[in-house]
Amino acid sequence: MRQRLGRSWRSNPQAARPPLVISHRDNNTQRIAALDEQAERLRLKPGTGIADARAMHPGIEIVEADTQADRRLLESLADWCDRYTPLVALDGQDGLFLDITGCAHLFGGEKSMLDDMLSRFFHQGFDVRAGLASTPGAAWAAARFCTASVVAPGDEEKTMAPLPLAALRLAPETIASLESVGLRTTGAILQAPRAPLARRFGKMLLLRLDQALGQLEEAISPRLPVAPLSVERHLPEPVSLMEDIEHLVLLLARSLKTDLERHGEGARALQLLLFRVDGAVSRIGVGTSRPLREPGLIGKLFHERLTALEDVLDAGYGFDLVRLSVLATAPFEMDQADFSGDASGSDEDLAIFADRVSARLGDDTVLRPVPVESHIPERAVSCLSFAEAEKDPGHARNRGREIALPPPPGPERPIRLFSQPEPVEVMAAEVPDGPPARFRWRRALYEVARAEGPERIAPEWWRDGADEATRDYFRIEDADGRRYWLFRQGFYGATQGNPRWFLQGFFA
């Protein structure tokens, strides 16, 4: 309905429209899954067969249910509810749990917050029922079965007593069993002995009852992790220009700097949340290779990211709430500056450059090789994004400065390695362990002038298996002075057949 008549169709009534019914297939029968207010006034109910509903009211409009689209819509509404609290959890297929502990005073109190939420939902075209209570179970029951949306602390039992058993969030089989013995309301459960109830109907019945009354804690698991630090700005007038958004990022980054300094930390991952007035939420994240808390540098990172997203970021009628969150932190270590004012031994400029390029073009744009625990050459190095490489524990540091470690002792390695060895054709190789006299690679023939080797590298049996062949490496120089790194996989005269030769890399 919102797609056809617009998001504000409830607050701006349109021309007459037919009653709308959503259908779904249940045991090879099309039944009503949901219906709008006009269809409810026709006394149609969920579960009624579509054929019966059409026979009684031929003028109804029927639309097939789309569960995936409904899920996406519910998740987008959960994103929008982050404006009230970061603790938002999904509740089934049509509900949300919001833990507003410590947040209500920011909106003038619980009642004002609830009124603001319902008003905004109404103007977005949603028919929302909300309940507010000290326990998730009582709030759930108030939203679905009570006329009063606010349950005062201590009134949970009084509110729950007259409600049907479905208010306890029980399984349909449990409800049917309870009703078969005359227990039809929550109050009847409260008056019955607990031990026989637990023996006959299971522990879940008493668990749900105690959770609703506040006698047992019920945790709400938010769908997204809660940021350790966040600052936000509510705007009296929506903004839509990129220049205004970048200016707000600088203001929020200055507020974040104070909190980061107090904790002695810097930001490693930041996220900018833009709440649009029509309910859409945009999440824009950037990562840093070093702990960062300087507002100017944070502003540059988001400038690059916003520039990259300028064509896809839809401001609509503008953003009325902007939030900057720190998703990950790390200890912030100061560099000692020399007399010129520069921090000696620091490659901060390179890190900032890599972060800005990654923010504009993606994390995989700037890569850095890091060593890997393997003696097989093509596995001994891995290319990671610059930020991930900085997190590598093999990066030795001393108070924020990198230590220039000497290369490990061992044979000389080529300056260029192939990611995967390339096969070569060898002619006139010395048997059993000698180098080749000539070899063909990529259709070109090379005469071997000098050779050194072999250097034997055994296979990693714990990874490749016991049948993997041993490698014998040779440093080869051809007649033109070009140097190669070849290896023979296997041995001459072995039962597996003749060995194979490969080119691993170049020395020069």
Side-chain angles (χ1 to χ4, degrees):
M1 192 60 66
R2 296 169 70 242
Q3 293 181 352
R4 299 182 184 184
L5 304 180
R7 294 179 180 267
S8 58
W9 67 278
R10 290 186 182 276
S11 56
N12 297 316
Q14 303 290 325
R17 54 180 180 79
L20 180 64
V21 170
I22 308 298
S23 69
H24 75 292
R25 182 170 295 277
D26 181 16
N27 294 329
N28 295 325
T29 302
Q30 290 292 121
R31 298 187 182 277
I32 296 178
L35 56 166
D36 66 355
E37 295 91 335
Q38 291 192 42
E40 287 180 346
R41 287 194 288 268
L42 299 177
R43 297 187 178 182
L44 295 176
K45 297 181 180 180
T48 304
I50 292 296
D52 296 337
R54 192 187 296 275
M56 292 185 291
H57 305 284
I60 62 174
E61 182 179 2
I62 301 173
V63 177
E64 183 70 23
D66 188 346
T67 55
Q68 295 183 355
D70 292 342
R71 186 69 175 186
R72 291 194 298 268
L73 176 61
L74 187 63
E75 290 178 349
S76 67
L77 294 179
D79 285 338
W80 179 82
C81 286
D82 278 352
R83 65 168 52 237
Y84 297 104
T85 174
L87 300 175
V88 181
L90 300 180
D91 175 36
Q93 299 179 353
D94 60 352
L96 298 173
F97 269 125
L98 278 68
D99 188 348
I100 62 171
T101 305
C103 302
H105 69 280
L106 301 175
F107 300 88
E110 294 178 347
K111 189 64 170 64
S112 299
M113 179 180 183
L114 188 61
D115 293 340
D116 178 74
M117 185 185 307
L118 294 176
S119 175
R120 290 177 180 269
F121 271 122
F122 175 78
H123 287 92
Q124 292 181 35
F126 293 102
D127 179 22
V128 177
R129 300 174 185 179
L132 196 153
S134 301
T135 65
W140 190 92
R144 287 167 170 77
F145 298 96
C146 293
T147 55
S149 57
V150 179
V151 180
D155 290 348
E156 291 83 10
E157 183 173 346
K158 178 182 176 181
T159 303
M160 296 291 296
L163 301 182
L165 298 177
L168 291 176
R169 295 175 292 168
L170 300 174
E173 306 83 44
T174 305
I175 295 176
S177 299
L178 289 167
E179 291 179 345
S180 66
V181 296
L183 300 175
R184 300 182 180 277
T185 64
T186 304
I189 302 297
L190 291 170
Q191 296 173 5
R194 293 174 62 90
L197 289 176
R199 285 196 303 268
R200 182 166 182 178
F201 303 104
K203 296 181 179 180
M204 183 58 67
L205 170 61
L206 300 182
L207 175 64
R208 288 301 193 189
L209 183 63
D210 291 340
Q211 288 176 342
L213 300 182
Q215 298 175 6
L216 285 178
E217 291 290 337
E218 181 181 358
I220 294 179
S221 300
R223 55 186 293 268
L224 297 176
V226 179
L229 290 174
S230 292
V231 290
E232 63 183 36
R233 179 69 62 90
H234 290 264
L235 306 174
E237 293 292 336
V239 299
S240 57
L241 298 179
M242 288 296 175
E243 295 81 359
D244 296 334
I245 296 175
E246 293 179 12
H247 178 67
L248 289 170
V249 170
L250 285 176
L251 295 179
L252 297 175
R254 293 191 184 103
S255 300
L256 274 182
K257 181 181 179 181
T258 304
D259 295 331
L260 291 171
E261 288 176 344
R262 185 170 59 253
H263 291 85
E265 296 177 332
R268 289 300 304 268
L270 299 108
Q271 187 179 68
L272 179 66
L273 280 79
L274 303 174
F275 294 83
R276 222 164 61 182
V277 294
D278 59 357
V281 180
S282 298
R283 297 177 181 269
I284 303 171
V286 296
T288 66
S289 56
R290 302 282 182 88
L292 189 66
R293 61 189 183 196
E294 180 60 37
L297 298 180
I298 294 176
K300 290 180 180 179
L301 291 182
F302 277 104
H303 168 75
E304 301 293 345
R305 191 66 184 143
L306 290 171
T307 302
L309 298 175
E310 188 172 4
D311 295 335
V312 298
L313 184 61
D314 184 11
Y317 292 103
F319 305 104
D320 62 344
L321 174 62
V322 179
R323 178 184 299 158
L324 183 61
S325 301
V326 178
L327 301 183
T329 60
F332 189 89
E333 299 177 352
M334 303 294 293
D335 284 339
Q336 178 65 42
D338 56 18
F339 288 109
S340 66
D342 296 330
S344 59
S346 173
D347 58 351
E348 191 71 23
D349 292 340
L350 176 61
I352 294 173
F353 168 78
D355 291 342
R356 294 186 65 178
V357 173
S358 299
R360 173 72 73 94
L361 302 177
D363 292 337
D364 295 334
T365 305
V366 182
L367 301 178
R368 188 169 187 172
V370 295
V372 178
E373 292 183 353
S374 176
H375 55 267
I376 302 299
E378 62 266 24
R379 298 175 183 167
V381 177
S382 177
C383 289
L384 302 179
S385 65
F386 197 88
E388 289 295 326
E390 290 290 312
K391 297 178 184 178
D392 184 67
H395 248 31
R397 298 182 184 280
N398 182 16
R399 296 181 182 179
R401 300 177 184 173
E402 296 195 9
I403 301 174
L405 297 177
E412 183 184 2
R413 290 290 180 260
I415 59 175
R416 179 186 176 188
L417 281 175
F418 293 146
S419 58
Q420 292 295 329
E422 296 190 7
V424 297
E425 182 183 353
V426 169
M427 285 77 76
E430 297 181 12
V431 178
D433 296 326
R438 65 185 64 85
F439 65 92
R440 188 185 304 276
W441 174 60
R442 294 184 179 179
R443 300 182 180 179
L445 184 64
Y446 300 88
E447 293 286 341
V448 176
R450 298 175 182 84
E452 183 180 359
E455 174 194 346
R456 180 157 295 177
I457 297 181
E460 296 177 340
W461 55 266
W462 58 92
R463 179 182 297 178
D464 301 323
D467 297 334
E468 186 71 14
T470 300
R471 297 182 180 184
D472 282 348
Y473 280 84
F474 295 87
R475 289 181 289 276
I476 302 293
E477 182 176 332
D478 66 4
D480 296 328
R482 294 184 292 263
R483 301 177 64 203
Y484 309 90
W485 201 33
L486 275 70
F487 71 87
R488 182 188 67 243
Q489 188 175 38
F491 303 104
Y492 287 101
T495 58
Q496 294 87 352
N498 291 331
R500 302 174 61 194
W501 288 81
F502 295 88
L503 178 63
Q504 185 81 65
F506 301 95
F507 287 96

